[in-house]
Amino acid sequence: MQLTSETLERAVEHLSKLPGVGRKSAQRLAMHLVKQDKDQVLQLAQALIDLKQKIRYCSSCFTITDDDPCPICRSAKRQRNVLCVVEESRDVYVIEKTNEFRGSYHVLGGVISPLDDVGPDDIRIKELIARVNSNSEPVSEVILALNPDAEGEATSFYIHKMLSPFGVKVTRIAHGIPMGTELEFIDEATLSKAFIGRNIF
Amino acid sequence: MQLTSETLERAVEHLSKLPGVGRKSAQRLAMHLVKQDKDQVLQLAQALIDLKQKIRYCSSCFTITDDDPCPICRSAKRQRNVLCVVEESRDVYVIEKTNEFRGSYHVLGGVISPLDDVGPDDIRIKELIARVNSNSEPVSEVILALNPDAEGEATSFYIHKMLSPFGVKVTRIAHGIPMGTELEFIDEATLSKAFIGRNIF
């Protein structure tokens, strides 16, 4: 045994399973917690337990929520006829920060990725089609906001194809030069997208 | 509210209090846990609770342990007459990895640091003196292995002064060029220590 406490060793093992936490940081975190107030550690532990016990997915948009439907789907201020399709709930939070989008979301819970054995049926594409096809809340536009990598592109194309029979407008968020960046540091693919997507000034 | 779940928000708040974990990493960790098996999250939470409920400090050397005395103080293979003084339990683990030291430890639980309001009475110096002064287990050598910064140096000097009446041999671990480093990248203070501490070849 390398550490003098099996309890510490066990905490280090569990902490080092977290993404981006190596054994060394896990040991630092565990030893920090040993020195903290008992209350603080119990509150942290309870907050983590709650993540599994209290959190569910919104039955409408599938974002993470405590109450179903989620605050965004419940809100009277949000448009129901514009759906923004994202990969994960974290993307919802990123977009919400911009205060730019006033429609609703649809969280796929992943992207199509044959290498990871994720097919169209493993993410919430059926549910998206059902929403678009529903008569109760007509959808006029579906905005695709997936990441601009191979999986995100493939998933966008697939969704576009699946939605075409319904005559709904399908758009994609713009790809181009990030604000505050100088042109000389931009890769060719982005610069090329920026030219293709140019707007009238 | 920025996130769509207060439970998630609470977990993010607690996680971002951990050292080296910003709000963004806390959010990534929390959303990772939401996707994990319930059992895994409960085990992590329990491991953290155990840190406060099962861990104590060894009554002899004050390292972190589940059982008092700690495995090192219990071991028949360790010398009782050589004490290595370190700042924290983490230093015990670092030294144990070298397999170089077969004596016992004394964990101070800090160093003297007037700026942080830590005086000699706030760390386990009295306890060290008591161990050196004890008749049951005579101590022949005290090895100081504190960090080579201002606080570590001050604490080393203080301990050396306090132990001098007892006639015990007090040594310090060597400071010098780290293995595998080139001389040209070494700071002057280290190089100077390396010259002063030179050994016969």
Side-chain angles (χ1 to χ4, degrees):
Chain A
M1 193 192 56
Q2 196 199 313
L3 306 181
T4 49
S5 152
E6 279 176 42
T7 304
L8 185 67
E9 181 67 50
R10 204 160 44 237
V12 170
E13 256 171 51
H14 281 287
L15 286 167
S16 57
K17 284 181 194 158
L18 295 173
V21 179
R23 196 182 150 85
K24 222 163 183 174
S25 342
Q27 195 175 308
R28 198 161 54 99
L29 291 175
M31 300 195 72
H32 168 84
L33 290 173
V34 170
K35 285 201 150 193
Q36 291 306 293
D37 281 349
K38 191 173 175 176
D39 273 0
Q40 284 219 320
V41 178
L42 295 187
Q43 279 171 28
L44 166 64
Q46 189 58 51
L48 300 187
I49 293 169
D50 287 349
L51 284 179
K52 291 308 291 184
Q53 291 186 334
K54 293 196 182 166
I55 283 185
R56 62 201 74 198
Y57 294 99
C58 174
S59 59
S60 171
C61 74
F62 303 99
T63 194
I64 285 175
T65 182
D66 289 0
D67 308 298
D68 186 17
C70 76
I72 296 175
C73 288
R74 263 199 321 266
S75 166
K77 292 183 187 156
R78 308 295 294 238
Q79 299 159 4
R80 305 252 171 282
N81 60 330
V82 180
L83 298 187
C84 177
V85 177
V86 295
E87 182 176 337
E88 294 288 357
S89 297
R90 59 162 186 268
D91 304 317
V92 171
Y93 305 142
V94 175
I95 296 172
E96 282 299 286
K97 266 204 204 157
T98 66
N99 276 320
E100 204 54 62
F101 179 66
R102 305 310 299 159
S104 307
Y105 290 95
H106 187 87
V107 180
L108 293 176
V111 280
I112 298 171
S113 171
L115 285 177
D116 300 316
D117 220 17
V118 180
D121 293 340
D122 299 318
I123 60 177
R124 300 186 194 103
I125 293 181
K126 280 185 308 294
E127 291 84 348
L128 174 63
I129 293 170
R131 287 179 81 179
V132 170
N133 200 21
S134 136
N135 291 319
S136 59
E137 293 192 322
V139 174
S140 60
E141 181 176 357
V142 171
I143 303 173
L144 300 174
L146 303 179
N147 289 319
D149 49 19
E151 291 81 11
E153 298 284 289
T155 309
S156 292
F157 277 113
Y158 183 85
I159 292 176
H160 182 226
K161 196 182 77 185
M162 297 301 284
L163 291 182
S164 62
F166 302 100
V168 65
K169 183 172 156 194
V170 179
T171 59
R172 297 175 65 175
I173 55 168
H175 295 120
I177 316 296
M179 302 301 285
T181 320
E182 291 182 42
L183 281 192
E184 65 171 312
F185 302 121
I186 298 293
D187 60 295
E188 289 89 11
T190 304
L191 201 51
S192 148
K193 287 270 184 199
F195 269 92
I196 294 167
R198 69 192 180 278
N199 302 303
I200 290 166
F201 195 67
Chain B
M1 193 193 55
Q2 196 202 312
L3 306 182
T4 48
S5 153
E6 278 176 43
T7 305
L8 185 67
E9 181 66 51
R10 203 160 45 238
V12 169
E13 256 172 50
H14 281 287
L15 286 167
S16 57
K17 283 180 194 156
L18 296 173
V21 180
R23 195 179 151 87
K24 222 163 183 174
S25 343
Q27 195 175 309
R28 199 161 53 98
L29 291 176
M31 300 196 72
H32 168 84
L33 290 173
V34 170
K35 287 201 148 196
Q36 291 306 293
D37 281 349
K38 191 172 176 177
D39 272 0
Q40 285 219 320
V41 178
L42 294 187
Q43 279 171 26
L44 166 65
Q46 189 58 50
L48 301 186
I49 293 169
D50 287 349
L51 284 179
K52 290 308 292 184
Q53 290 186 336
K54 292 197 180 163
I55 283 185
R56 62 203 72 198
Y57 294 98
C58 174
S59 60
S60 171
C61 74
F62 303 99
T63 194
I64 285 176
T65 182
D66 289 0
D67 309 297
D68 187 18
C70 76
I72 296 174
C73 289
R74 262 200 320 267
S75 166
K77 292 182 186 159
R78 309 294 296 236
Q79 299 160 5
R80 305 252 170 282
N81 60 331
V82 180
L83 297 187
C84 177
V85 177
V86 294
E87 183 177 337
E88 294 289 358
S89 298
R90 60 162 185 268
D91 304 318
V92 172
Y93 305 141
V94 175
I95 296 172
E96 283 299 287
K97 266 205 204 159
T98 67
N99 277 319
E100 204 54 62
F101 179 65
R102 305 311 299 161
S104 307
Y105 289 95
H106 187 88
V107 180
L108 292 176
V111 282
I112 299 171
S113 171
L115 286 177
D116 301 315
D117 221 19
V118 180
D121 294 339
D122 299 316
I123 59 177
R124 301 189 193 99
I125 293 181
K126 280 185 309 293
E127 291 83 347
L128 174 64
I129 294 170
R131 286 179 82 178
V132 170
N133 201 21
S134 138
N135 292 320
S136 58
E137 295 192 321
V139 174
S140 60
E141 180 176 357
V142 171
I143 303 172
L144 300 174
L146 303 178
N147 289 319
D149 50 19
E151 292 80 10
E153 299 283 289
T155 309
S156 292
F157 277 113
Y158 183 85
I159 292 175
H160 182 224
K161 197 182 76 185
M162 297 301 285
L163 290 182
S164 62
F166 302 99
V168 65
K169 182 172 156 195
V170 179
T171 58
R172 297 175 65 174
I173 55 168
H175 294 120
I177 316 298
M179 301 302 283
T181 321
E182 291 183 42
L183 282 191
E184 66 171 312
F185 302 121
I186 298 294
D187 61 295
E188 289 89 11
T190 304
L191 201 51
S192 148
K193 287 270 185 199
F195 268 92
I196 294 167
R198 68 191 181 279
N199 301 303
I200 289 166
F201 195 66

